[in-house]
Amino acid sequence: MTNSPEFSPPAVAAPPAPDEGSHALLHRGLGVGSIVFMVVAAAAPLGVMVANTPIITGISGSAGAPLFFLIATVVLVFFSVGFTAMSKFVPNAGAFYSYIQAGLGRHVGSGAAALALVSYGVLLIGVNGYLGVATSNVVSAHFHVDIQWWIYSFAWLLIIGVLGYRDIELSSKVLGVLLVVEIAVVVVLDIAIVVKGGESGLGVEPLSFSTFTSGTPTLGLMFAFFCFFGFEATAVFRNEAKDPDRTVPRATYIAVLSIGIFYAISSWAVMEGAGSDSVVEKAKADPENLVLDLAASYGAPILKDVMQVLLVTSTFACVLSFHNVITRYQFTLAGKGMLPKRLADVSEKHLAPSTSSLIASAISLAAMALVTALGWDPITSIYTWLSGAATLGLIGLMVLTNLAVIFYFRTKASAPTVWHSLLAPAMSLISLTIILALVIANFSLLVGDKTTAAVVGGLIAVAFAVGLAGAEVMKRQRPDRYAELAADTVRRP
């Protein structure tokens, strides 16, 4: 699920490392399909179609959402070229953090580690608040039982905690089933719109240059990128992958391309179903029900009801995916001596980093209790503010990762090809830097107002600064540990 403001949608004694036994226990032989399911589930494709596509349309003032998604897909494929090339040289499940540390040094890497944990953490809490509201609405509408949203949010966190504590294959199976069902429902709507010919006949107007340049395309493109968050988590699961050097790259490309193509085709169907010449007005007037109303008119009222229910399961799958990512970030950082070593324990019963999952659950429950006690609105405050903070943090991490790839292959390792090590990362770097600038320039729009933007943006800056400071303290007080911090991070060809 991604941010949608109007929808108010990660050395001097060598650091303790997990021993070989722990790694052997953690290795689950996950294939490409299992990892892709978990990663695509984090993107919440049904949530993007129902919640974010109308927002993209309304805020950009054009019917160009399909083109925005295609452009974002191309940029992220460029990003994936360097990202996956780096994964073969850095056999570490820390993903962004590991690559940034390998390319830009221990200080920046430590800052990235703190930034990743905070970004994924606040995103989990933000989306979980949305999940509570969505659940409350469905139960109220269909069963006429009114229960406070926060009760559902806490209940979902407990269920996620149980799944996260157990074997990752259980989470993979749950996410796989939910993902197949939610995609199937959107495909049914797409087919129905095509068969009935849309509002006024089918065409390619949403893919035209004139449509792209109408309105404010930069805002539409910026929001389109937000809908891909979570795809980079393929590298976080490398310890549990069947053949990491092959599985991670393949899963990354498949995730990016499948998400992008699905978004582009389905958003085109939405534009045609609502009418390319009138979809902007409809999206601005009622973004929450635009796609649901299409489901009712082109399919049947039951299709709308099913979509509403699956919006809950889609969001649940998203929160579960983020919990698994946070758990494995903590596991990796503990193995590098940056977090308490107990977090690097692997359960012999469940063959999972269960201790890390417990801590992640405890922190999530405490954070949820805090924002609830503060009386924050679950949509306009919890979801909008925290997903806005995550947006800033994760795009910043992607920019740093591109820089790290270029520096690493220029200075520390033989590049596989110029395309992998320079050209594709440079093209991605330029594009994502522009997107980051757009996010910063429009951050008050993302989170609601300038005061909130300053506070939320400050949270992200503080997280990175704390990581930098932690590395400096370690360098001064434990130079042995600092010197060995990245000792086993980089694997040379």
Side-chain angles (χ1 to χ4, degrees):
M1 215 46 200
T2 52
N3 185 38
S4 43
E6 294 182 44
F7 219 78
S8 338
V12 265
D19 57 27
E20 292 301 319
S22 293
H23 278 301
L25 286 172
L26 188 61
H27 184 76
R28 302 300 299 131
L30 295 180
V32 172
S34 296
I35 294 178
V36 169
F37 275 136
M38 288 187 285
V39 168
V40 176
L46 177 62
V48 168
M49 284 302 105
V50 173
N52 289 348
T53 296
I55 297 301
I56 292 172
T57 303
I59 203 167
S60 68
S62 81
L67 200 50
F68 298 149
F69 284 130
L70 288 175
I71 292 173
T73 301
V74 171
V75 172
L76 293 177
V77 167
F78 288 149
F79 174 86
S80 298
V81 171
F83 182 75
T84 57
M86 192 82 162
S87 71
K88 298 179 180 180
F89 289 78
V90 184
N92 187 311
F96 285 155
Y97 138 72
S98 299
Y99 302 166
I100 292 169
Q101 178 171 275
L104 301 179
R106 299 176 182 86
H107 273 61
V108 180
S110 297
L115 181 55
L117 276 177
V118 170
S119 296
Y120 282 115
V122 297
L123 186 56
L124 184 153
I125 298 303
V127 177
N128 190 61
Y130 183 99
L131 175 58
V133 173
T135 307
S136 178
N137 290 342
V138 168
V139 173
S140 177
H142 295 282
F143 300 99
H144 308 291
V145 176
D146 294 321
I147 299 177
Q148 292 291 322
W149 66 269
W150 55 267
I151 296 178
Y152 291 111
S153 289
F154 279 106
W156 284 122
L157 282 180
L158 291 174
I159 294 172
I160 287 167
V162 172
L163 291 172
Y165 183 83
R166 296 171 63 84
D167 190 337
I168 187 65
E169 291 184 357
L170 177 60
S171 292
S172 175
K173 291 175 182 177
V174 171
L175 293 174
V177 171
L178 295 178
L179 181 63
V180 169
V181 174
E182 66 176 273
I183 288 179
V185 170
V186 177
V187 170
V188 168
L189 175 58
D190 294 346
I191 293 174
I193 292 173
V194 171
V195 169
K196 294 186 178 181
E199 175 75 9
S200 54
L202 302 177
V204 293
E205 184 63 22
L207 297 171
S208 68
F209 181 75
S210 60
T211 299
F212 175 77
T213 55
S214 64
T216 312
T218 53
L219 289 179
L221 188 59
M222 179 178 71
F223 277 91
F225 271 90
F226 304 159
C227 299
F228 287 79
F229 279 168
F231 86 92
E232 75 287 346
T234 51
V236 176
F237 296 103
R238 73 170 289 124
N239 283 337
E240 290 141 298
K242 183 177 181 180
D243 182 1
D245 285 350
R246 293 185 179 183
T247 302
V248 170
R250 290 177 182 177
T252 303
Y253 284 118
I254 292 174
V256 171
L257 290 172
S258 60
I259 291 171
I261 294 172
F262 176 83
Y263 287 169
I265 293 175
S266 297
S267 62
W268 169 81
V270 169
M271 300 303 110
E272 294 301 296
S276 296
D277 56 348
S278 59
V279 68
V280 173
E281 289 72 21
K282 293 177 180 178
K284 288 181 177 179
D286 190 7
E288 183 173 353
N289 291 303
L290 173 64
V291 176
L292 294 175
D293 288 344
L294 290 177
S297 60
Y298 282 93
I302 186 64
L303 184 60
K304 177 179 179 179
D305 294 337
V306 171
M307 271 195 170
Q308 287 178 312
V309 173
L310 289 178
L311 180 60
V312 173
T313 61
S314 175
T315 309
F316 162 75
C318 180
V319 180
L320 175 57
S321 295
F322 288 134
H323 173 86
N324 286 333
V325 170
I326 292 169
T327 295
R328 279 142 187 86
Y329 253 103
Q330 291 179 163
F331 173 84
T332 299
L333 293 174
K336 307 301 295 178
M338 299 177 67
L339 289 176
K341 64 180 180 179
R342 284 294 304 278
L343 294 177
D345 290 347
V346 175
S347 168
E348 295 187 16
K349 178 180 180 180
H350 299 296
L351 306 179
S354 299
T355 302
S356 180
S357 179
L358 279 176
I359 296 302
S361 293
I363 294 173
S364 297
L365 287 166
M368 202 73 231
L370 175 61
V371 297
T372 302
L374 290 173
W376 288 8
D377 183 87
I379 302 299
T380 60
S381 298
I382 298 175
Y383 177 57
T384 301
W385 295 352
L386 298 186
S387 59
T391 294
L392 180 60
L394 291 174
I395 293 182
L397 284 169
M398 293 175 73
V399 170
L400 288 174
T401 300
N402 272 305
L403 281 172
V405 170
I406 294 172
F407 274 88
Y408 178 77
F409 285 124
R410 294 299 96 189
T411 61
K412 297 183 180 180
S414 299
T417 67
V418 174
W419 169 249
H420 288 82
S421 63
L422 181 60
L423 294 182
M427 294 167 70
S428 173
L429 175 62
I430 294 170
S431 302
L432 288 170
T433 300
I434 293 173
I435 296 300
L436 180 61
L438 289 173
V439 171
I440 294 173
N442 295 279
F443 199 57
S444 59
L445 173 65
L446 281 174
V447 299
D449 59 72
K450 292 183 178 180
T451 301
T452 304
V455 174
V456 173
L459 171 67
I460 294 302
V462 167
F464 187 74
V466 167
L468 289 175
E472 182 61 26
V473 169
M474 182 183 290
K475 181 179 179 181
R476 293 174 179 272
Q477 298 184 359
R478 297 295 304 275
D480 55 332
R481 173 167 293 186
Y482 178 82
E484 296 296 329
L485 189 60
D488 65 340
T489 299
V490 177
R491 182 181 69 201
R492 300 188 184 280

